[in-house]
Amino acid sequence: MNVYDLPNKSGHFGPYGGVFVAETLISALDELREQYEQYRNDDAFQKEFTYELKHYVGRPSPIYHAKRWSEHLGGAQILLKREDLNHTGAHKVNNTIGQALLARRMGKNRVIAETGAGQHGVATATVAARYGMQCVVYMGSEDVRRQATNVYRMKLLGAEVVPVESGSRTLKDALNEAMRDWVTHVEDTFYIIGTVAGPHPYPMMVRDFQTVIGKEAKIQMQEGYGRQPDVLIACVGGGSNAIGLFYPYIDDNAVQMVGVEAAGKGLDTNQHAATLTKGKPGVLHGNRTYLIQDDNGQIIETHSISAGLDYPGVGPEHAWLKDIHRAEYVGITDDEALEAFHALCRLEGIMPALESSHALAYAAKLAPTLAKDKLLLVNLSGRGDKDMATVAQMSGISL
Amino acid sequence: MNRIAQTFAVLQSNRKKALIPFITAGDPDPALTVDLMHCMVDEGSDIIELGVPFSDPMADGPTIQRSSERALKHHVSLINVFDMVAKFRQKNTYTPVVLMGYANPVEAMGYENFAVKAKDAGVDGVLTVDYPPEECEEWVKCLEQHGMDAIFLLSPTTTQLRIEHVAKLAKGYIYYVSLKGVTGASHLNLRDVESMLAKLRALLSIPIGVGFGIRDGATAAAVAELADAVVIGSRIIEEIEHSSRSEILNNVGNLIASMRMAIDAKRDQN
């Protein structure tokens, strides 16, 4: 049997990944890679990480059988991996804890982060407060305006939020700006990237910290259902929650894996963020991967109702899993996601994040086509409190 | 001998240092770029670095980012940039032109396609900011086959091992980034530059240009004492930003002339 063991030493997943940065960033990445290689196999580090996940985050997150919704859909059984129950309300914190612990060991007392909707920014500000570190979060000025509540949350947690005025003033520009900060303050600063993108070792490191999701699921499925799920379903923006669930299952070919991208207003429009479905390979933010770009190689603005999926790139490991047909990637529109959001609220009393609602919407499409004894495991990556204003607005209600 | 090697050979025999200005193609608008290139040559520039605009210039500071945004408002693509170089070549066949930009527009066009068109237009060298040596062997080979130089960046934090790696691939000249940070930063420590250049000279056989942090004639002259070439980018872009369109050629010309004079005056003192 082939054992999946990527990335290779230089950080490549087939042709994807790698280290595509200016020379000025190379030494910082070399230092990070060496230190991470060391702590990745360090028992004390792993023990502290596990302890924090248990006592601070509240892991393991349960798997919940959405019985009423499954019955309503009339097909396969839908199970939810409840990352929404984590401290701070999403899977993001698994990664920020891991990177903050690494930053501490590397003697860096200032952490910086990029954020789109603000979820990763909040998760970073949270751990910075928890470990007594200085925290600066870069956020596109357009997003600062749209996500005022999360900006205030970050400030309450002691972080400085810097609005980014360049480019399209959204997540990708915040990432550019955080990279610029890092290259200028590399001695005392650790850059906590929020997803499985960026230059090596980030896609590997963020994945490793998120695989707690899939590792728990494997044990919980065995204990609760006596077998593994037939299909794993997770939303993909950058792809960290999806890879966290998928990775421990990659060698288990009986388990199908589906990543759900934001099809926005439709895959045939130019208002979507379905990078793997509609994009082409290229180089952005330090790695080679699929990108939403024009014919001249300029990056195009994306659209999704869910700010967390609104990104023109995608983690390089997903690009590889797509090319080797180990995972399948599909698109779900704004309207379909919204419908799933409401269904879960009404039938299960769970308010999902709009990101996660994309995964749920695909499960709702797939379930009725399958027999009742099939098991779909959906990663419910975050809770939807943050999205109430957006949902209300979409429904024509002002709060 | 290609145009870049020829240029450095002539400069060296005259005990002169190269002045290399950077502008972004299409900034402030495409119609002005070729005139700006000629003007900079007339006022004493030896090599022109022409920036290819990109939507996400991660290694650049705010000034060069803005120049890229202005050019992209005019939808300046690689094809347009090649056209500008070809037009420049109608009147100037001796000044080397180096394209500086990011990897994605190159990848979108394809290596071979890019190399053929760039060479036809009269491009002499290409610096791809986010292609470190580990990721671009095939690219360097392609440029070489078409008779163009792959220009590389080195930084204060580059290790000896990497300098040796770059030494094997780099042609034309090395662009030494004299400070940590992004383009347009302002504090330059000459003593640090001096000690690093000594280290680089021991390992590299091609000329070394120094950029980042050169703001005026005095810093340009001081850097020229140490390096083979002085690269000036953000300061010129600022001049473009702060001038009305009709004054741009005049003001950029004056700036280049003052840098040239300061660099040459320093040489004559020594």
Side-chain angles (χ1 to χ4, degrees):
Chain A
M1 191 181 102
N2 268 343
V3 177
Y4 181 90
D5 184 25
L6 291 176
N8 67 11
K9 264 200 112 46
S10 55
H12 292 87
F13 305 86
Y16 304 110
V19 182
F20 292 88
V21 297
E23 186 61 33
T24 41
L25 261 180
I26 293 282
S27 71
L29 287 165
D30 280 349
E31 182 194 10
L32 177 63
R33 198 190 63 240
E34 281 160 22
Q35 295 280 314
Y36 180 61
E37 283 296 343
Q38 181 191 330
Y39 290 113
R40 196 183 187 203
N41 302 309
D42 180 283
D43 286 345
F45 179 85
Q46 293 301 335
K47 222 170 137 187
E48 187 179 2
F49 180 52
T50 306
Y51 182 92
E52 293 290 286
L53 289 180
K54 182 174 176 192
H55 297 273
Y56 188 65
V57 178
R59 302 202 70 94
S61 67
I63 286 180
Y64 167 76
H65 183 185
K67 254 189 209 160
R68 291 192 68 219
W69 193 39
S70 305
E71 260 166 43
H72 174 80
L73 292 165
Q77 302 307 304
I78 299 177
L79 312 174
L80 306 175
K81 178 65 173 159
R82 298 289 308 273
E83 291 298 301
D84 61 318
L85 296 177
N86 291 341
H87 176 46
T88 72
H91 72 291
K92 292 283 185 192
V93 73
N94 301 328
N95 168 49
T96 57
I97 285 182
Q99 292 198 50
L101 292 178
L102 185 60
R104 282 215 304 184
R105 278 171 169 72
M106 290 171 69
K108 316 254 178 190
N109 203 40
R110 178 176 180 267
V111 294
I112 58 172
E114 84 292 341
T115 198
Q119 293 311 102
H120 173 59
V122 168
T124 303
T126 299
V127 299
R130 160 78 183 83
Y131 300 115
M133 296 162 137
Q134 191 195 341
C135 179
V136 177
V137 178
Y138 289 93
M139 189 168 184
S141 60
E142 188 59 23
D143 289 332
V144 167
R145 194 181 57 77
R146 289 189 293 200
Q147 308 286 339
T149 315
N150 267 343
V151 172
Y152 186 53
R153 277 173 88 189
M154 287 184 267
K155 287 183 179 165
L156 286 174
L157 291 160
E160 180 193 348
V161 179
V162 180
V164 176
E165 301 288 352
S166 58
S168 57
R169 300 178 175 81
T170 57
L171 175 60
K172 76 178 179 69
D173 309 287
L175 209 153
N176 291 333
E177 206 55 37
M179 282 280 181
R180 293 181 188 117
D181 177 314
W182 194 32
V183 71
T184 313
H185 303 104
V186 68
E187 279 90 4
D188 69 339
T189 297
F190 189 105
Y191 179 16
I192 300 187
I193 292 187
T195 191
V196 285
H200 181 64
Y202 282 102
M204 173 180 83
M205 179 169 71
V206 176
R207 175 198 73 194
D208 291 351
F209 292 139
Q210 291 292 1
T211 52
V212 63
I213 302 170
K215 285 180 191 160
E216 281 176 10
K218 270 192 147 170
I219 296 166
Q220 291 166 323
M221 287 302 301
Q222 205 54 48
E223 282 174 3
Y225 301 86
R227 69 181 187 94
Q228 295 304 323
D230 299 289
V231 189
L232 306 174
I233 302 171
C235 63
V236 176
S240 70
N241 90 78
I243 211 76
L245 176 65
F246 292 176
Y247 185 73
Y249 284 97
I250 288 179
D251 285 328
D252 187 349
N253 283 316
V255 180
Q256 211 185 319
M257 310 193 302
V258 184
V260 184
E261 296 189 305
K265 302 201 165 152
L267 290 176
D268 299 329
T269 71
N270 54 12
Q271 295 199 56
H272 60 75
T275 311
L276 288 163
T277 315
K278 301 288 279 188
K280 278 185 309 188
V283 169
L284 180 72
H285 292 150
N287 65 107
R288 183 177 280 126
T289 185
Y290 282 78
L291 301 172
I292 307 229
Q293 52 181 315
D294 68 15
D295 292 341
N296 298 320
Q298 306 294 347
I299 307 308
I300 304 176
E301 276 181 60
T302 51
H303 165 83
S304 169
I305 188 179
S306 138
L309 302 182
D310 204 352
Y311 177 63
V314 63
E317 191 158 21
H318 287 294
W320 179 238
L321 292 176
K322 172 193 161 81
D323 280 14
I324 63 171
H325 304 293
R326 178 59 190 96
E328 183 192 349
Y329 295 87
V330 299
I332 283 290
T333 63
D334 289 351
D335 289 343
E336 291 169 326
L338 211 52
E339 197 183 321
F341 173 94
H342 287 298
L344 208 70
C345 286
R346 292 296 181 88
L347 291 168
E348 298 292 350
I350 295 172
M351 190 179 293
L354 283 174
E355 289 79 6
S356 322
S357 298
H358 286 72
L360 294 165
Y362 183 72
K365 268 188 181 176
L366 185 63
T369 69
L370 299 172
K372 289 199 162 133
D373 62 346
K374 295 286 183 190
L375 300 178
L376 311 183
L377 178 60
V378 180
N379 200 5
L380 185 51
S381 55
R383 68 174 184 227
D385 309 47
K386 69 180 175 67
D387 295 317
M388 273 190 295
T390 311
V391 172
Q393 197 188 3
M394 293 287 286
S395 317
I397 296 164
S398 68
L399 296 176
Chain B
M1 207 186 276
N2 71 19
R3 270 191 286 256
I4 295 177
Q6 180 82 37
T7 298
F8 277 105
V10 170
L11 285 166
Q12 211 164 20
S13 67
N14 294 330
R15 289 179 51 242
K16 281 184 77 172
K17 298 300 174 75
L19 176 59
I20 310 182
F22 168 96
I23 56 169
T24 299
D27 173 36
D29 61 71
L32 206 57
T33 300
V34 176
D35 289 343
L36 258 174
M37 292 168 77
H38 286 306
C39 157
M40 293 193 298
V41 172
D42 292 344
E43 299 301 335
S45 302
D46 302 294
I47 297 174
I48 306 279
E49 278 186 2
L50 193 57
V52 178
F54 183 48
S55 53
D56 294 78
M58 209 170 76
D60 285 298
T63 306
I64 292 182
Q65 283 174 55
R66 284 195 301 270
S67 76
S68 223
E69 284 173 19
R70 283 192 295 270
L72 286 176
K73 273 202 187 121
H74 297 282
H75 305 286
V76 172
S77 68
L78 264 175
I79 296 287
N80 301 138
V81 176
F82 295 151
D83 288 345
M84 291 173 196
V85 176
K87 198 172 164 208
F88 173 75
R89 282 276 171 258
Q90 288 171 5
K91 283 196 208 156
N92 181 321
T93 55
Y94 57 93
T95 304
V97 175
V98 171
L99 297 189
M100 185 163 175
Y102 290 80
N104 203 52
V106 173
E107 301 221 339
M109 179 171 271
Y111 291 170
E112 185 65 23
N113 196 7
F114 175 101
V116 168
K117 290 194 165 87
K119 184 67 188 175
D120 278 355
V123 170
D124 301 284
V126 184
L127 197 170
T128 318
V129 177
D130 47 353
Y131 270 157
E134 292 83 356
E135 301 285 3
C136 66
E137 257 175 55
E138 200 188 320
W139 168 237
V140 171
K141 246 183 245 161
C142 180
L143 288 176
E144 206 175 296
Q145 277 164 8
H146 290 86
M148 288 178 286
D149 291 341
I151 315 284
F152 281 91
L153 293 170
L154 290 176
S155 89
T157 52
T158 306
T159 59
Q160 169 117 1
L161 208 65
R162 291 180 58 79
I163 298 171
E164 287 166 13
H165 189 175
V166 169
K168 281 185 206 140
L169 298 173
K171 293 271 163 58
Y173 61 96
I174 283 289
Y175 185 162
Y176 176 63
V177 172
S178 49
L179 343 134
K180 286 170 204 158
V182 292
T183 51
S186 60
H187 38 280
L188 180 67
N189 185 329
L190 285 170
R191 210 165 284 165
D192 289 352
V193 173
E194 186 170 13
S195 69
M196 187 64 178
L197 284 190
K199 206 161 126 192
L200 296 181
R201 295 234 188 256
L203 298 163
L204 295 164
S205 54
I206 52 177
I208 301 171
V210 172
F212 280 34
I214 297 166
R215 312 279 316 156
D216 50 29
T219 39
V223 166
E225 275 196 292
L226 307 169
D228 304 302
V230 179
V231 186
I232 302 164
S234 297
R235 179 66 189 85
I236 298 174
I237 309 284
E238 279 169 19
E239 200 65 33
I240 293 174
E241 270 184 345
H242 297 150
S243 305
S244 70
R245 193 177 185 282
S246 61
E247 295 168 341
I248 287 176
L249 288 176
N250 188 44
N251 291 357
V252 170
N254 287 342
L255 177 68
I256 299 285
S258 72
M259 298 268 185
R260 178 81 262 170
M261 205 185 298
I263 292 170
D264 292 349
K266 194 83 179 187
R267 177 204 60 172
D268 295 337
Q269 273 170 32
N270 291 347

